[in-house]
Amino acid sequence: MAVTYCLISPFPFSDTMDLLKKMASKVGDVIQEDSRRGYILAKYKVSAFRKLKLEFFVERSEKTCNVRAVFHGDVIISAKDKWWDLCLSALFELAPNADFGVSLAEKNPYVVGLLYLEDDTEQVHISHTKQNASITGFLLGGALFGDAGAIVGGMSGKQRTVGHTVTQFSNSQLTRLIYNNGRVWEGNITKGSKLYNEIIVNFK
């Protein structure tokens, strides 16, 4: 199962590519790179018989670069979070004064932002209880949700709705979540579930 992580690089494209290659080399091996496409393929040895494949996709923007990292392999998500923490630790060591908009999961990633996906309505919400300025800036910068102007929420907790609002009477909601370590998850959240209750607590 593939798991996607996002971060935002405060460096130009070529510097971002070099930094990601150095990071990948510190914790694994760089197998392939294509600077024209903004692509890096790396592998990480989990055991003598198992390796995880990690693909980086770097998107140029005006002043920064949006980075998506996709972990492939049949290990559980918590194991991928652990390996991603190793990547982030290496990245933070290489650029100690840079803000990448994410933080280490340290075995306990938490939801910092969510986007409801339903019909013509998109609603962005940002956590108040675990609020972090850099992560909030990352969310509002559009690295996860697309163009910032289209569906920007706010640090005050206000929401901007695109299209028309539809009242629904359903036990589940299609949602995209972002965790403090940059992990992105998309799926249906069922009312009363552990994840639903976590969101209710953090997004009041």
Side-chain angles (χ1 to χ4, degrees):
M1 180 182 78
V3 178
T4 300
Y5 298 84
C6 293
L7 59 86
I8 190 163
S9 169
F11 302 108
F13 178 78
S14 59
D15 293 343
T16 297
M17 290 291 290
D18 288 341
L19 189 61
L20 291 174
K21 285 185 285 185
K22 288 177 184 176
M23 177 194 77
S25 296
K26 282 178 75 78
V27 295
D29 297 307
V30 175
I31 306 301
Q32 180 185 348
E33 64 170 294
D34 185 340
S35 294
R36 288 182 301 112
R37 290 174 45 218
Y39 176 79
I40 299 170
L41 172 63
K43 286 192 177 178
Y44 299 89
K45 187 175 180 180
V46 179
S47 67
F49 306 102
R50 178 181 287 180
K51 290 184 178 179
L52 286 180
K53 182 172 75 170
L54 178 58
E55 293 180 293
F56 292 97
F57 301 90
V58 181
E59 177 188 347
R60 293 176 175 94
S61 63
E62 198 169 312
K63 295 181 181 178
T64 60
C65 292
N66 297 334
V67 178
R68 292 180 188 271
V70 182
F71 259 113
H72 301 274
D74 59 350
V75 297
I76 59 176
I77 289 178
S78 59
K80 290 176 180 171
D81 280 343
K82 177 183 174 183
W83 281 96
W84 183 239
D85 264 7
L86 292 176
C87 292
L88 291 181
S89 294
L91 186 65
F92 298 160
E93 286 176 18
L94 289 166
N97 297 318
D99 183 358
F100 296 97
V102 293
S103 59
L104 299 177
E106 297 177 333
K107 297 184 180 181
N108 191 28
Y110 51 85
V111 177
V112 295
L114 66 91
L115 170 67
Y116 289 129
L117 307 169
E118 200 68 48
D119 298 325
D120 297 326
T121 303
E122 296 173 313
Q123 296 177 347
V124 179
H125 300 268
I126 296 167
S127 171
H128 298 285
T129 57
K130 306 272 186 158
Q131 196 170 85
N132 176 296
S134 63
I135 294 171
T136 301
F138 170 62
L139 288 165
L140 298 184
L144 173 64
F145 300 137
D147 294 332
I151 48 174
V152 173
M155 292 186 72
S156 65
K158 294 178 182 176
Q159 65 193 36
R160 177 176 175 180
T161 302
V162 179
H164 62 278
T165 301
V166 178
T167 303
Q168 296 179 9
F169 300 93
S170 173
N171 287 325
S172 66
Q173 173 71 55
L174 181 59
T175 308
R176 184 178 299 149
L177 304 177
I178 186 168
Y179 290 80
N180 66 302
N181 64 344
R183 172 159 43 98
V184 179
W185 178 87
E186 186 173 300
N188 280 299
I189 298 177
T190 305
K191 290 180 181 177
S193 66
K194 182 180 178 182
L195 183 54
Y196 174 85
N197 290 329
E198 177 186 347
I199 290 169
I200 291 299
V201 168
N202 288 342
F203 290 83
K204 282 183 177 179

